[in-house]
Amino acid sequence: MSLPESVVVLGSGAGALSCSVELSLAGLKVTLADLPRFADGVNAVGAAGEIRLRCPWHGETAAPVAATGTDPAAAIDGQELIVVSVPAFGHQAWADLLAAELKDGQSVLWVGEGGGALTLAATLRRTGRRPAVHIAETNSLPYGARVRGPGLITASRKSGGTLVAGLPAENNPLVAIACKVWPWMSPAENVWETTLLNFNAIDHVPPIICNLGAIEGRTGSFLLWGEGASPAVSRMIERIDAELLALRGALGLTNTDGYADYLVAQGFAPRREPTLHATLQSSSFAASTFPCGPDALKSRYLTEDVPYALVLMASIGDELDIPTPTIDSLIHLASVAAGTDFQAGGRTLADLDLAGAGRDGLLTAAREGRW
Amino acid sequence: MSLPESVVVLGSGAGALSCSVELSLAGLKVTLADLPRFADGVNAVGAAGEIRLRCPWHGETAAPVAATGTDPAAAIDGQELIVVSVPAFGHQAWADLLAAELKDGQSVLWVGEGGGALTLAATLRRTGRRPAVHIAETNSLPYGARVRGPGLITASRKSGGTLVAGLPAENNPLVAIACKVWPWMSPAENVWETTLLNFNAIDHVPPIICNLGAIEGRTGSFLLWGEGASPAVSRMIERIDAELLALRGALGLTNTDGYADYLVAQGFAPRREPTLHATLQSSSFAASTFPCGPDALKSRYLTEDVPYALVLMASIGDELDIPTPTIDSLIHLASVAAGTDFQAGGRTLADLDLAGAGRDGLLTAAREGRW
């Protein structure tokens, strides 16, 4: 399996820039494109012709970017490989654009939280277009990355534990391509594994809901796990993980690694301690800060992870008759806290044209990925 | 309506001692009795022959107690009026004792969180005894009180907003007796009003669950409402209140005063502010402390208020087909936090022999109080 010569990366946030760097360093000719309203970030890269990166494994380096643009439809035209790295609340808008434009032989890899692949498949079905394309998605960014200035990012590579699933699941060349570009990525069984192993949904919401007084009532920074993941809060994280393990089990997924295993696999914690609380406190998460103040409730840790991840997980639980009481409770209390009905606005199996599909229907959809 | 000459008060905590003081100062001959395992508190009062009280309205005073005992069955024998003031997790044990001992013409007034009256009625039904007795209950202690030493309490009287309901609801002499002893008490329509206007259940649980990091992770004291009732947490308190108002409405109760109204009525806040958050921060609650540390999760603010109040409220919601999503979510997350299944251990309509009674059956039970 050889890599294509070129790639277009859609998006211009930290995820898209860190994907662009890795693809560029792997020898691909990279085009970075985003919607006109995000022109600033794209144009900064275009003016420099490169993305500067500070990170522990590449040191201080710069990766060339061949072209940039703010007309995504034009940018993807003729490209064999398309990588999309955007927040989950952008999945549908990009799926709409891609469903209208994709041509036979193109491939779309969604890098970030899961859900993009099934969103695109459902959108293709609805539009009645049936291009011969491959789709795949990861469950998480292979890095922790932040934009620090125009065309400048800092990033820390995870040591492992990022998964990539093809849609259709089998004989999907995107899985091998992703694992070649990001050698610390590993294949998932199918997109239900990438959907149901969303670490952000597991570990972002409990420490916010269980520390609202501190988060809303302070200025400055809060140690979201260091101060916030007390033993009781860690138990809530464990319960979400257990509910997701039950959903994965019901779908026949064989990977039974839990959240704490992934903290180690991704390099955040040196080893599993006797309790999740101890594992979290021994991890680099203990020093990770979160900005306080009333706007904290507008954080993607709630506005992305609750409606696009927890709500979808609860919907899968409903479909499979697997209870998800901790997930359900956090969706409700996060909605009350933020003053937004995340359930009503969230992504469900119905949005993916899979309501009523049942276990077998969900598995067929992942295996065959028909549209 | 004249007060009886004597009364037996069951219990020996702050509630029982402050009830004894008020009854004694009203001219009744008071006997204080509790179970043998609580002999220390009872005997301290017996040795002194009085209860010393420090409070803003009586100043520093002492109220005579005629007798004390640790054989409650003997203590209530021949007493016309029995006052029980114990935590809700003691309701069933005292109901068992009273159901076995009560004789025609006796009256039982439960002072504290609601639920005792229906517990006693159900226990009488189960034991097959049908004494001609009156039962009543309040929704809340008429004071905030703390035991400060042997036979010594500090107390602050609420200025109003405590309710008393008779079981049966009508022609129940206990209501007038209670309102004469505690003139700032007012009659409730029936025991559903005292059950569903439980301020502790409304305002204790959200600030604990939403401040677990601070409460578990600190030593010393936490300003449970001053620091903890941030705007988002106050919204959760409002939602519980709204769910209880819906339950009360479904049961035809005409009192539509909400939690914020009672903060003012009880004298905790000078007036209602535009938001509950502002009302709470202007109230004396803003300076009220809560002890931190891992044992905080064993606080009655969780172990009493969740299983005996929120679980019962959710059960009433199920019976009436009124959704209680905020109450349900808090029951679940409190259970995860404390590592205890409060739902399974909690008081429900089934425990009160009222499961399946429907709206009409619940109203009949409160109006007629048959056993």
Side-chain angles (χ1 to χ4, degrees):
Chain A
M1 189 277 316
S2 60
L3 295 175
E5 289 184 6
S6 67
V7 59
V8 61
V9 177
L10 301 177
S12 58
L17 296 191
S18 56
C19 284
S20 298
V21 166
E22 206 64 44
L23 289 157
S24 176
L25 295 178
L28 284 77
K29 192 179 133 196
V30 174
T31 297
L32 182 76
D34 204 343
L35 300 168
R37 67 173 179 277
F38 301 113
D40 285 357
V42 174
N43 291 338
V45 173
E50 61 181 21
I51 296 167
R52 287 174 301 136
L53 170 75
R54 293 187 192 134
C55 80
W57 84 101
H58 287 302
E60 182 130 5
T61 187
V65 171
T68 59
T70 54
D71 181 349
I76 64 177
D77 189 39
Q79 292 279 358
E80 183 185 335
L81 177 61
I82 301 162
V83 169
V84 195
S85 188
V86 298
F89 42 76
H91 283 175
Q92 186 61 60
W94 283 104
D96 289 340
L97 186 144
L98 288 164
E101 300 292 340
L102 284 176
K103 295 183 178 64
D104 291 353
Q106 291 189 304
S107 292
V108 180
L109 172 65
W110 299 78
V111 181
E113 290 195 12
L118 287 166
T119 302
L120 176 53
T123 308
L124 282 168
R125 272 197 294 277
R126 283 179 197 158
T127 55
R129 296 199 65 233
R130 304 188 63 176
V133 298
H134 283 103
I135 309 174
E137 69 175 26
T138 65
N139 66 328
S140 178
L141 286 175
Y143 330 78
R146 289 283 182 277
V147 177
R148 301 294 181 184
L152 171 67
I153 56 171
T154 58
S156 61
R157 172 186 143 173
K158 296 172 186 171
S159 59
T162 306
L163 304 174
V164 55
L167 186 72
E170 286 168 25
N171 301 318
N172 190 318
L174 280 170
V175 175
I177 288 173
C179 292
K180 189 160 184 179
V181 174
W182 296 277
W184 62 97
M185 218 179 258
S186 45
E189 223 167 309
N190 57 46
V191 289
W192 299 117
E193 192 169 344
T194 47
T195 300
L196 293 168
L197 247 171
N198 182 316
F199 309 118
N200 292 353
I202 297 172
D203 68 22
H204 283 174
V205 185
I208 291 187
I209 296 304
C210 295
N211 293 282
L212 285 171
I215 287 173
E216 279 190 289
R218 290 190 195 174
T219 56
S221 290
F222 180 70
L223 294 166
L224 191 61
W225 294 277
E227 297 172 73
S230 67
V233 178
S234 302
R235 282 197 284 279
M236 286 189 204
I237 293 173
E238 281 179 304
R239 284 291 187 99
I240 299 178
D241 193 41
E243 291 174 8
L244 295 185
L245 271 164
L247 293 177
R248 284 153 52 198
L251 286 168
L253 295 166
T254 56
N255 174 353
T256 58
D257 286 348
Y259 170 76
D261 300 305
Y262 277 94
L263 278 181
V264 178
Q266 294 179 307
F268 294 120
R271 74 189 69 81
R272 282 192 65 154
E273 301 292 339
T275 65
L276 177 59
H277 175 253
T279 308
L280 275 171
Q281 297 309 321
S282 75
S283 76
S284 59
F285 283 23
S288 184
T289 59
F290 183 84
C292 295
D295 278 353
L297 294 173
K298 299 176 186 161
S299 160
R300 280 172 58 182
Y301 284 23
L302 291 184
T303 60
E304 179 178 11
D305 297 327
V306 179
Y308 293 93
L310 292 182
V311 168
L312 179 57
M313 292 160 174
S315 164
I316 296 169
D318 286 345
E319 186 73 23
L320 301 174
D321 273 330
I322 302 284
T324 55
T326 309
I327 290 171
D328 297 346
S329 297
L330 287 166
I331 292 168
H332 180 74
L333 295 185
S335 298
V336 174
T340 302
D341 187 344
F342 288 131
Q343 180 66 50
R347 175 165 56 190
T348 64
L349 285 179
D351 297 310
L352 303 176
D353 276 350
L354 293 171
R359 175 182 186 274
D360 292 345
L362 296 186
L363 290 174
T364 302
R367 190 174 57 247
E368 302 185 359
R370 286 176 292 196
W371 43 84
Chain B
M1 189 278 314
S2 60
L3 294 176
E5 290 184 6
S6 68
V7 61
V8 61
V9 176
L10 301 177
S12 58
L17 297 190
S18 56
C19 283
S20 297
V21 167
E22 207 63 45
L23 289 157
S24 176
L25 296 177
L28 284 78
K29 192 179 135 197
V30 173
T31 298
L32 182 77
D34 205 341
L35 299 169
R37 68 174 179 276
F38 301 113
D40 284 357
V42 173
N43 291 339
V45 172
E50 63 182 19
I51 296 168
R52 288 174 299 136
L53 170 76
R54 294 188 192 133
C55 80
W57 83 102
H58 287 301
E60 181 129 6
T61 188
V65 170
T68 58
T70 54
D71 181 349
I76 64 177
D77 189 39
Q79 292 280 355
E80 184 185 334
L81 177 61
I82 301 162
V83 170
V84 195
S85 189
V86 298
F89 43 75
H91 283 174
Q92 186 60 58
W94 283 104
D96 289 341
L97 186 144
L98 289 165
E101 301 291 339
L102 285 176
K103 296 184 177 65
D104 290 353
Q106 291 190 303
S107 292
V108 180
L109 172 65
W110 301 79
V111 182
E113 290 194 12
L118 286 167
T119 301
L120 177 53
T123 308
L124 282 167
R125 271 197 296 275
R126 283 180 197 157
T127 54
R129 295 199 65 232
R130 305 189 61 177
V133 298
H134 283 104
I135 309 174
E137 70 175 23
T138 65
N139 66 327
S140 177
L141 286 175
Y143 331 76
R146 289 281 182 278
V147 177
R148 300 295 182 184
L152 171 67
I153 55 171
T154 56
S156 62
R157 172 186 142 172
K158 297 172 187 172
S159 58
T162 306
L163 305 174
V164 55
L167 186 72
E170 285 168 25
N171 301 317
N172 191 317
L174 281 170
V175 173
I177 288 174
C179 293
K180 190 160 184 179
V181 175
W182 297 276
W184 61 99
M185 217 180 259
S186 44
E189 224 166 307
N190 58 45
V191 289
W192 299 118
E193 192 169 345
T194 47
T195 300
L196 293 169
L197 247 171
N198 182 316
F199 309 119
N200 293 352
I202 297 172
D203 68 21
H204 283 174
V205 185
I208 291 187
I209 296 304
C210 296
N211 292 282
L212 285 171
I215 287 173
E216 279 189 289
R218 289 191 197 174
T219 56
S221 290
F222 180 70
L223 295 166
L224 191 60
W225 294 277
E227 296 173 72
S230 66
V233 178
S234 301
R235 281 197 284 279
M236 286 189 203
I237 293 172
E238 281 180 305
R239 283 292 187 97
I240 299 178
D241 193 40
E243 291 173 10
L244 295 184
L245 272 164
L247 293 177
R248 285 153 53 198
L251 286 167
L253 295 166
T254 56
N255 174 354
T256 57
D257 286 349
Y259 170 77
D261 300 305
Y262 278 94
L263 278 182
V264 178
Q266 294 178 308
F268 294 119
R271 74 189 71 81
R272 281 192 65 153
E273 301 292 340
T275 66
L276 177 59
H277 175 253
T279 308
L280 275 171
Q281 297 309 320
S282 76
S283 77
S284 57
F285 282 23
S288 185
T289 58
F290 183 84
C292 295
D295 278 354
L297 294 173
K298 298 176 186 160
S299 160
R300 280 173 58 183
Y301 284 22
L302 291 184
T303 61
E304 180 178 11
D305 298 327
V306 179
Y308 293 93
L310 291 183
V311 168
L312 179 56
M313 292 159 174
S315 163
I316 296 170
D318 286 346
E319 187 72 22
L320 300 173
D321 273 329
I322 302 284
T324 55
T326 309
I327 290 172
D328 298 345
S329 297
L330 287 166
I331 292 168
H332 180 74
L333 294 185
S335 297
V336 174
T340 303
D341 188 344
F342 288 131
Q343 179 66 51
R347 175 164 57 190
T348 64
L349 285 180
D351 297 310
L352 303 176
D353 276 349
L354 292 171
R359 176 182 185 274
D360 291 347
L362 297 185
L363 290 174
T364 301
R367 189 173 60 247
E368 302 185 359
R370 287 176 293 196
W371 43 83

Coordinates of all heavy atoms in Angstrom, one line a residue, chain A residues 7-11 15-16 19-20 23 28 31-33 76 79-86 94 98 107-112 174 177 181-182:
Chain A
V7 N -2.9 15.4 -1.0 CA -4.0 15.3 -0.1 C -4.6 16.7 0.1 O -3.8 17.7 0.0 CB -3.6 14.7 1.3 CG1 -2.5 15.5 1.9 CG2 -4.8 14.5 2.2
V8 N -5.9 16.8 0.2 CA -6.5 18.0 0.7 C -7.0 17.9 2.1 O -7.6 16.9 2.4 CB -7.6 18.5 -0.3 CG1 -8.8 17.5 -0.3 CG2 -8.1 19.9 0.2
V9 N -6.6 18.8 2.9 CA -7.1 18.8 4.3 C -8.1 19.9 4.5 O -7.8 21.0 4.2 CB -5.9 19.0 5.3 CG1 -6.4 19.1 6.8 CG2 -4.8 17.9 5.2
L10 N -9.3 19.5 5.0 CA -10.4 20.4 5.2 C -10.5 20.8 6.7 O -10.5 19.9 7.5 CB -11.7 19.8 4.7 CG -11.7 19.4 3.2 CD1 -13.1 18.8 2.9 CD2 -11.5 20.6 2.3
G11 N -10.5 22.1 7.0 CA -10.5 22.6 8.3 C -9.3 23.5 8.5 O -8.4 23.5 7.6
G15 N -6.6 20.7 14.9 CA -6.6 19.3 14.4 C -6.2 19.3 12.9 O -5.3 18.5 12.5
A16 N -6.8 20.2 12.1 CA -6.4 20.2 10.7 C -5.0 20.6 10.5 O -4.3 20.0 9.6 CB -7.4 21.2 10.0
C19 N -2.8 17.6 11.4 CA -2.9 16.6 10.3 C -2.1 17.0 9.1 O -1.3 16.2 8.5 CB -4.4 16.4 9.9 SG -5.4 15.5 11.0
S20 N -2.2 18.3 8.8 CA -1.4 18.7 7.6 C 0.1 18.6 7.8 O 0.8 18.2 6.9 CB -1.7 20.2 7.4 OG -3.1 20.4 7.1
L23 N 1.0 14.8 7.4 CA 0.8 14.4 6.0 C 2.0 15.0 5.2 O 2.5 14.3 4.3 CB -0.5 14.8 5.5 CG -1.7 14.0 6.0 CD1 -3.0 14.8 5.9 CD2 -1.8 12.6 5.3
L28 N 3.5 13.9 1.4 CA 2.4 14.2 0.5 C 2.3 15.7 0.3 O 2.7 16.5 1.1 CB 1.0 13.8 1.2 CG 0.7 12.3 1.1 CD1 1.5 11.5 2.2 CD2 -0.8 12.1 1.3
T31 N -2.8 20.4 0.4 CA -3.6 21.6 0.2 C -4.5 21.7 1.4 O -5.2 20.8 1.8 CB -4.5 21.4 -1.1 OG1 -3.6 21.3 -2.2 CG2 -5.4 22.6 -1.2
L32 N -4.5 22.9 2.0 CA -5.3 23.2 3.2 C -6.5 24.1 2.7 O -6.2 25.1 2.1 CB -4.5 23.9 4.2 CG -5.2 24.2 5.5 CD1 -5.4 22.9 6.4 CD2 -4.5 25.3 6.4
A33 N -7.7 23.7 3.0 CA -8.9 24.5 2.6 C -9.9 24.5 3.7 O -10.1 23.6 4.5 CB -9.5 23.9 1.3
I76 N -11.1 20.1 -3.4 CA -11.1 18.7 -3.4 C -11.2 18.1 -4.8 O -11.0 16.9 -5.0 CB -12.3 18.1 -2.6 CG1 -13.7 18.5 -3.2 CG2 -12.2 18.6 -1.1 CD1 -14.8 17.9 -2.4
Q79 N -8.8 15.4 -6.2 CA -7.9 14.9 -5.1 C -8.4 13.5 -4.8 O -9.6 13.2 -4.6 CB -8.0 15.7 -3.9 CG -7.4 17.1 -4.0 CD -5.9 17.1 -3.9 OE1 -5.3 16.0 -3.6 NE2 -5.3 18.2 -4.0
E80 N -7.5 12.5 -4.7 CA -7.8 11.2 -4.4 C -8.1 11.1 -2.9 O -9.1 10.4 -2.5 CB -6.6 10.3 -4.7 CG -6.8 8.8 -4.5 CD -5.5 8.0 -4.7 OE1 -4.6 8.5 -5.5 OE2 -5.3 7.0 -4.1
L81 N -7.3 11.8 -2.1 CA -7.5 11.7 -0.6 C -7.9 13.0 0.0 O -7.3 14.0 -0.2 CB -6.1 11.2 0.0 CG -6.1 11.1 1.5 CD1 -7.1 10.1 2.1 CD2 -4.7 10.8 2.0
I82 N -9.0 12.9 0.8 CA -9.5 14.1 1.5 C -9.5 13.8 3.0 O -10.1 12.8 3.4 CB -11.0 14.4 1.0 CG1 -11.0 14.7 -0.5 CG2 -11.5 15.6 1.8 CD1 -12.4 14.5 -1.1
V83 N -8.9 14.6 3.8 CA -8.9 14.5 5.2 C -9.7 15.6 5.8 O -9.5 16.8 5.4 CB -7.4 14.5 5.8 CG1 -7.5 14.6 7.3 CG2 -6.7 13.2 5.3
V84 N -10.7 15.3 6.6 CA -11.5 16.4 7.3 C -11.2 16.3 8.8 O -11.3 15.3 9.4 CB -13.0 16.1 7.1 CG1 -13.8 17.4 7.4 CG2 -13.3 15.6 5.7
S85 N -10.8 17.5 9.3 CA -10.5 17.5 10.7 C -11.2 18.8 11.3 O -10.7 19.9 11.2 CB -9.0 17.6 11.1 OG -8.8 17.4 12.5
V86 N -12.5 18.6 11.8 CA -13.3 19.7 12.2 C -14.0 19.2 13.5 O -14.1 18.0 13.7 CB -14.3 20.1 11.2 CG1 -13.6 20.6 9.9 CG2 -15.3 19.0 10.8
W94 N -20.0 19.7 6.5 CA -19.0 19.2 5.6 C -19.6 18.0 4.9 O -19.2 17.7 3.7 CB -17.7 18.9 6.4 CG -16.9 20.1 6.7 CD1 -16.8 20.7 7.8 CD2 -16.2 20.9 5.7 NE1 -16.0 21.9 7.7 CE2 -15.6 22.0 6.4 CE3 -15.9 20.7 4.4 CZ2 -14.8 22.9 5.8 CZ3 -15.1 21.7 3.7 CH2 -14.6 22.8 4.4
L98 N -19.5 17.5 0.9 CA -18.8 16.4 0.3 C -19.8 15.5 -0.5 O -19.5 15.0 -1.6 CB -18.2 15.6 1.4 CG -16.9 16.2 2.0 CD1 -16.5 15.5 3.3 CD2 -15.7 16.2 1.0
S107 N -11.6 9.4 -1.5 CA -11.6 8.8 -0.2 C -11.7 9.9 0.8 O -11.0 11.0 0.6 CB -10.4 8.0 0.1 OG -10.4 6.8 -0.7
V108 N -12.5 9.8 1.9 CA -12.6 10.8 2.9 C -12.3 10.2 4.3 O -13.0 9.3 4.7 CB -14.1 11.3 3.0 CG1 -14.2 12.4 4.1 CG2 -14.5 11.9 1.6
L109 N -11.3 10.7 4.9 CA -10.9 10.3 6.2 C -11.2 11.4 7.2 O -10.7 12.5 7.1 CB -9.4 10.0 6.3 CG -8.8 9.7 7.6 CD1 -9.3 8.4 8.3 CD2 -7.2 9.7 7.6
W110 N -12.1 11.1 8.2 CA -12.4 12.1 9.2 C -11.5 11.9 10.4 O -11.5 10.8 11.0 CB -13.9 11.9 9.7 CG -14.9 12.0 8.7 CD1 -15.3 11.1 7.7 CD2 -15.7 13.2 8.4 NE1 -16.3 11.6 6.9 CE2 -16.6 12.9 7.3 CE3 -15.9 14.4 9.1 CZ2 -17.5 13.8 6.8 CZ3 -16.8 15.3 8.6 CH2 -17.6 15.0 7.5
V111 N -10.7 12.9 10.8 CA -9.8 12.8 11.9 C -10.3 13.6 13.1 O -10.4 14.9 12.9 CB -8.4 13.2 11.5 CG1 -7.4 13.0 12.7 CG2 -7.9 12.3 10.3
G112 N -10.5 13.0 14.2 CA -11.1 13.7 15.4 C -12.1 12.8 16.0 O -12.0 11.6 15.9
L174 N -8.3 3.2 3.3 CA -8.0 4.3 4.2 C -7.4 3.9 5.5 O -6.7 4.7 6.1 CB -9.3 5.1 4.4 CG -9.7 6.1 3.3 CD1 -11.2 6.6 3.6 CD2 -8.8 7.2 3.2
I177 N -3.7 3.5 5.0 CA -3.1 4.8 4.8 C -3.0 5.6 6.1 O -1.9 6.2 6.4 CB -4.0 5.6 3.8 CG1 -3.8 5.0 2.4 CG2 -3.6 7.1 3.8 CD1 -4.8 5.6 1.3
V181 N 0.5 6.9 7.9 CA 0.8 8.3 8.1 C 1.0 8.5 9.6 O 2.0 9.3 10.1 CB -0.3 9.3 7.6 CG1 0.0 10.7 8.1 CG2 -0.4 9.1 6.1
W182 N 0.2 7.9 10.4 CA 0.2 8.0 11.9 C 0.5 6.6 12.5 O -0.4 5.9 12.8 CB -1.1 8.6 12.4 CG -1.4 9.9 12.0 CD1 -1.0 11.1 12.5 CD2 -2.3 10.3 10.9 NE1 -1.5 12.2 11.9 CE2 -2.3 11.7 10.9 CE3 -3.1 9.6 10.0 CZ2 -3.1 12.5 9.9 CZ3 -3.8 10.3 9.0 CH2 -3.8 11.7 9.0

